[in-house]
Amino acid sequence: MSDRKIPLKVTCAIIEKEGKVLAAQRSERMSHPLKWEFPGGKLHEGESLEDCLVREIREELGIEVQPLVSLPPLVHHYDHISVELLPFICRIVQGEIVLHEHSEVSWLEPEELSSLDWVEADVPVFRSYLDALERRVSSSLGEV
């Protein structure tokens, strides 16, 4: 039996804009320095997943987002902690990005996501996103 604690619930935003996806680079003072991630953060007690995501993105990037689609949760075990990532595909509804925690952000074509040095926990998130994107494209082609 594993001695790992119950995973920490963490929301993350896959923000889409004009066919591109936002990736954020962690600053040097954060854990996993200079790795790339989908921004987001820890769920507070009594908070809905959507409210957590909106709050975290406002705090980290200074923008308002609207969660559109949730993707399946993914659990990742680090040596010191386990996290359950709760990803949402989102869109920006207001504001301009201001970096409060990250060193930079980049808008990438979905197929460019694998070129970044991601935080380990986010690798299956971007793969899940690409799978969801492929299903969206396939289903829209099937409607023609």
Side-chain angles (χ1 to χ4, degrees):
M1 181 167 204
S2 173
D3 62 352
R4 296 181 199 269
K5 293 184 178 182
I6 295 171
L8 181 66
K9 292 185 180 293
V10 177
T11 59
C12 60
I14 302 167
I15 303 170
E16 296 179 326
K17 179 180 174 184
E18 298 171 2
K20 294 192 175 186
V21 181
L22 183 90
Q25 187 178 41
R26 298 175 67 83
S27 74
E28 291 179 353
R29 67 184 184 280
M30 297 170 83
S31 62
H32 310 286
L34 304 179
K35 296 275 190 173
W36 290 85
E37 68 177 358
F38 294 115
K42 296 179 211 75
L43 181 67
H44 292 173
E45 191 172 333
E47 188 175 43
S48 74
L49 297 177
E50 292 83 356
D51 288 346
C52 172
L53 186 71
V54 169
R55 174 186 53 77
E56 285 286 349
I57 299 307
R58 185 183 312 120
E59 290 172 2
E60 292 182 9
L61 301 176
I63 56 174
E64 297 294 322
V65 295
Q66 176 186 21
L68 301 172
V69 178
S70 64
L71 295 179
L74 297 155
V75 176
H76 185 80
H77 303 288
Y78 289 103
D79 290 338
H80 62 289
I81 192 170
S82 294
V83 293
E84 180 182 6
L85 288 175
L86 305 151
F88 287 84
I89 298 172
C90 305
R91 69 179 183 95
I92 298 173
V93 292
Q94 184 177 329
E96 295 294 321
I97 294 174
V98 176
L99 301 179
H100 295 284
E101 296 182 14
H102 295 88
S103 61
E104 71 175 281
V105 294
S106 183
W107 289 100
L108 301 166
E109 298 290 336
E111 59 272 10
E112 296 175 308
L113 292 172
S114 62
S115 69
L116 298 178
D117 184 15
W118 288 89
V119 172
E120 284 180 49
D122 280 35
V123 171
V125 174
F126 85 70
R127 289 183 181 148
S128 174
Y129 168 69
L130 293 175
D131 289 346
L133 196 59
E134 190 174 306
R135 285 192 303 274
R136 273 196 324 210
V137 169
S138 295
S139 68
S140 67
L141 291 175
E143 294 172 3
V144 175

